[in-house]
Amino acid sequence: MSVSYVPVQWNPNKWKYDAVLIALVVVYIIVFLRLGTPAADFTRPVDGAILRIRAFGSCAFLMLTVILAIGPLARLDKRFAPILYNRRHFGVMTTAVAFTHAMYVLGWYFAYAPIPRLEALLVSNTSFGQFLGFPIEALGIAALLILSVLAATSHDFWLSFLSAPVWKSLHLMIYPAYVFVVAHVALGYFQDAKSPVFALIFTGGALTVAGLHLASWFKERRFSPSTEKWVKACKPSEIPDKRAVIVTISQQERVAIFRTGNSFSAVSNTCAHQGGPLGEGKIVYGHVTCPWHGFSYKARNGCSPAPFTEKIPTYNMSLENGVLFIDPKANQPGTDVEPIIVEGVVHG
Amino acid sequence: MAKEKDPFFVGWGKIPKDYKVFLISLTASIIAVFAILSYAISSTQSDPGDGALMGLTTAVGILQADPYPVLHVISSGRYQPGETIILSGGGKRGVVKRAAGFDGQVVRAAGVTMQRGDLNGMQLRSGKNGLRGDDTGADAFTVRVENLGRWRLTGEICDGKCLNGAMRPGRGLAHKACANLCLLGGVPPVFVSSAPVEGSEFLLMADANGKAVTEEILKFTATYVEIEGEVERRGELLIFKISPETIRLAQ
Ligand code: FES
C-alpha cells in the first residue's frame, strides 16, 4: 500500500509465483526444442532460429491466454485469486518471452539483407490492404509495444502517479494487445501449419478467453441495474457473515454491502488500488479486505487504517420491511456512515 | 468454524490451507498442460521439405542474365552437363549486377550449392572467386529453348534462395517479409506450382517479355495465387513469363 516505493515489495508468495513462472517458460521451451521437435516428421530439420521463433512465440501466446483467463476465473471461483494477485509478474514475464520471439525474428528474417534490419522491417511488406499476406509483423509489433508499456507501468508507483482509474484503463489495453496477437498468429503461422493440432490449440485458447469473460459477465448480471431512487438490494440474511453482496446501481457503479455480525455497511465495490472487486473480498481483522492485493478499508467510512491513506466512497442505506435499500448517490470517499444494525439476523 | 468454511486469500497474508492444496495442484497442472501443449505444437510442425545447402562446388557454363541470372552447365564436378542452376549472392542478395556483363558468355561460377527436388541453385562466392569469365576454352553449346504454350497455374511465389534450402522452411506466410527482402535484394523469384508442369513444380518467373518481374509480384508472395502466362523451357529450367495483371488470390 502507499508507504514507500521499492522496485518490488517482495514477499515469499511473490518469490514462489515467479519461480513457477520461470519453471513454466523453461519447461515449455525445453519440451518444444528437445522433445517435440525431434519427434516431428521432417525430411530435413527446421532451422534452429525458426524453431526458437516458434517456441517463444507460441509460449507467449499461451501465457497471454492464461493471463486473460485469470481475471474471470477468479470471479467464478475464488480459489484462483492468489494467481490474480501478482498477475503483473506474469505480464512482465510474458513481455520478456514475446520480446525474445521478436528478437529471433529480427535476427533471422530481417537480417542478412542489403538494408538495415529495422528499415527492412518497414519496407519488406507493405500489403496493408489485403487480408492474407497482411504484414503480420506490424500486428506483432503493436502487441509488443502495448505489452512493453504495460510492463513498464506495472509498478505501484505508476498506479498512484496516474491514479487508479487512468492506470486501470491503460491496462485494459491488454485486450487490444491480445486481439493483435490473435490476428498476428491467424494471418501468419496458423496459415502455414498444416496439422490441425495447432489450429485446435490456437482457436481453443482464444475461444476460452472469450468464453470465460462472457461467463463472468453473466455472473455479475445477477443484480440488474435499477433507475429507482433508492435501490432495493437484498435481505440482510442473504449476506454471509464477514462477506458482502454486490449490487449494481448503474452501468458503471457497483456497491458492496458488507456484513459484520449484525452490522451492515455499504461501500463502493471498486478498490482504490487497482479497482479490484471489494465485494468479493472479506472482513479480515475487522476491515473490508480486497481480494486482489489485500488493501483494506473500514466498512463504515471507507478509510484505510493508519498509516495508509486510501479512501473509497460510502453509501447510505435504509432497512424497509426487512429489506436493505441503497441511496445510489455516493458519499464523498471517507464519509462516515452509521452502520445499519439488524438484530437477530442469521444467514439464510 | 466460519474460518474453515470460508477461506479467503490476501496477498500479504498466509495462504489458507484449502487454497494451498488447490494452488499446488493448479500449479502442477498448468506446468503439465504447458508441457503437453508444447509437445503437441512442436511435434506436429509441418515438414519444411528437402531443400538444403549442399557444400561448395564450381561449375563452368553459359550464363544467361535475363530474367534473372542462371547458369547452363558445361562441366562441373557436381552437375551434369546441360543442367540449369539459379544464381544468387550472399545473404538476401542476388547477382544481377555481377552477371550483367557476362550475358551469353562462358563463365566459371563457384559457391555453395543448394537443392530442392529438381531445383538447382548456387550461392556465389564474392567477387571474382564466385564469378568470372572462363578462358579454358570449354565447349559452349546453344541453349535449347522450347515454347510450352500459355498456362494458368496456381501455386505460391517464393524467393528462389530460401525455397532452395537457404532457410527451412523458406516459404509460407510467416516467411513472406523475408521472401520480399530476398526478392528486393535481387534473388530470383520462383513459382511453386501446385500441379507439376511438364514434370516440374518449380518455374523461374519473368514478365511477359522475359525480363525481371520483382516489383509486380511482391504483393502476392507467400499466398496461394493463380497466374496466367507463357511457359518456356530453357535448358532444363522452366520459365514462367507471366502477365502480372492476371495475378489473383486463389481459393
Ligand atoms: S485492487 Fe489491489 S488491493 Fe484492491
Side-chain angles (χ1 to χ4, degrees), chain A residues 19-311:
Chain A
V20 169
L21 284 177
I22 291 171
L24 195 65
V25 175
V26 170
V27 165
Y28 188 90
I29 302 295
I30 289 182
V31 169
F32 197 106
L33 299 178
R34 297 266 171 260
L35 296 177
T37 298
D41 186 16
F42 294 157
T43 312
R44 285 175 191 278
V46 167
D47 293 332
I50 294 180
L51 287 174
R52 287 188 281 277
I53 288 170
R54 291 174 177 174
F56 282 94
S58 56
C59 187
F61 168 76
L62 290 174
M63 289 174 81
L64 204 52
T65 303
V66 172
I67 288 180
L68 287 177
I70 294 174
L73 275 177
R75 307 209 134 175
L76 295 169
D77 184 336
K78 301 228 173 349
R79 290 176 301 172
F80 284 98
I83 314 182
L84 190 69
Y85 181 82
N86 291 333
R87 180 163 55 160
R88 288 181 274 179
H89 292 225
F90 212 142
V92 172
M93 181 71 90
T94 305
T95 309
V97 172
F99 189 78
T100 310
H101 161 78
M103 285 301 111
Y104 278 123
V105 170
L106 207 55
W108 191 243
Y109 288 142
F110 295 93
Y112 317 111
I115 39 180
R117 289 177 196 193
L118 290 175
E119 193 187 329
L121 196 56
L122 295 177
V123 302
S124 54
N125 182 3
T126 50
S127 310
F128 286 95
Q130 68 197 60
F131 187 62
L132 284 184
F134 186 93
I136 52 168
E137 292 78 8
L139 296 165
I141 292 169
L144 189 57
L145 281 179
I146 295 178
L147 287 179
S148 310
V149 169
L150 300 195
T153 59
S154 66
H155 192 267
D156 268 352
F157 165 76
W158 286 97
L159 181 62
S160 75
F161 184 75
L162 297 171
S163 85
V166 174
W167 189 89
K168 184 92 205 217
S169 4
L170 177 69
H171 281 244
L172 283 178
M173 292 287 285
I174 191 80
Y175 289 103
Y178 192 64
V179 171
F180 284 137
V181 168
V182 168
H184 172 73
V185 181
L187 298 178
Y189 186 70
F190 180 75
Q191 303 289 335
D192 295 339
K194 293 190 184 73
S195 148
V197 174
F198 181 78
L200 267 175
I201 294 174
F202 172 64
T203 43
L207 289 179
T208 305
V209 167
L212 280 172
H213 278 83
L214 275 179
S216 80
W217 178 71
F218 264 118
K219 195 183 172 197
E220 283 190 358
R221 278 182 51 104
R222 276 177 318 176
F223 296 97
S224 50
S226 159
T227 48
E228 289 166 40
K229 214 181 145 293
W230 280 60
V231 179
K232 188 173 164 188
C234 60
K235 290 197 192 120
S237 60
E238 286 173 33
I239 309 177
D241 191 23
K242 298 213 163 52
R243 287 285 191 178
V245 149
I246 301 171
V247 181
T248 307
I249 56 171
S250 74
Q251 203 75 34
Q252 303 88 14
E253 249 181 305
R254 293 196 190 94
V255 176
I257 309 179
F258 272 94
R259 168 179 174 186
T260 316
N262 56 7
S263 121
F264 293 81
S265 297
V267 294
S268 161
N269 187 47
T270 312
C271 179
H273 179 220
Q274 272 176 46
L278 285 175
E280 293 173 20
K282 190 179 176 183
I283 305 282
V284 179
Y285 301 127
H287 299 310
V288 169
T289 304
C290 178
W292 281 11
H293 316 92
F295 274 40
S296 57
Y297 308 89
K298 290 181 207 137
R300 56 179 294 151
N301 61 13
C303 296
S304 288
F308 306 113
T309 53
E310 277 75 16
K311 287 190 182 97

Side-chain angles (χ1 to χ4, degrees), chain B residues 179-191:
Chain B
N180 282 8
L181 281 177
C182 282
L183 296 182
L184 285 167
V187 171
V190 169
F191 190 74

Side-chain angles (χ1 to χ4, degrees), chain B residues 122-187:
Chain B
M122 191 189 288
Q123 171 186 315
L124 298 184
R125 297 173 65 186
S126 52
K128 284 206 149 85
N129 290 332
L131 187 66
R132 61 165 181 260
D134 182 74
D135 46 17
T136 57
D139 273 343
F141 57 87
T142 323
V143 176
R144 201 163 45 92
V145 178
E146 185 186 352
N147 191 330
L148 300 176
R150 195 165 176 84
W151 292 69
R152 178 193 292 153
L153 301 177
T154 50
E156 182 183 334
I157 301 171
C158 299
D159 75 271
K161 188 176 178 191
C162 289
L163 173 75
N164 221 346
M167 273 197 192
R168 265 196 313 269
R171 57 186 291 191
L173 276 169
H175 178 265
K176 178 179 171 91
C178 177
N180 282 8
L181 281 177
C182 282
L183 296 182
L184 285 167
V187 171

Side-chain angles (χ1 to χ4, degrees), chain B residues 57-65 69-87 99 101-110 122 124 130-143 235:
Chain B
T57 198
T58 53
V60 172
I62 303 152
L63 190 135
Q64 218 165 42
V70 299
L71 186 76
H72 300 281
V73 175
I74 298 170
S75 67
S76 161
R78 176 180 176 90
Y79 298 107
Q80 297 301 313
E83 279 195 284
T84 310
I85 308 167
I86 291 179
L87 304 178
F102 294 113
D103 190 23
Q105 299 178 22
V106 175
V107 296
R108 182 178 174 283
M122 191 189 288
L124 298 184
L131 187 66
R132 61 165 181 260
D134 182 74
D135 46 17
T136 57
D139 273 343
F141 57 87
T142 323
V143 176

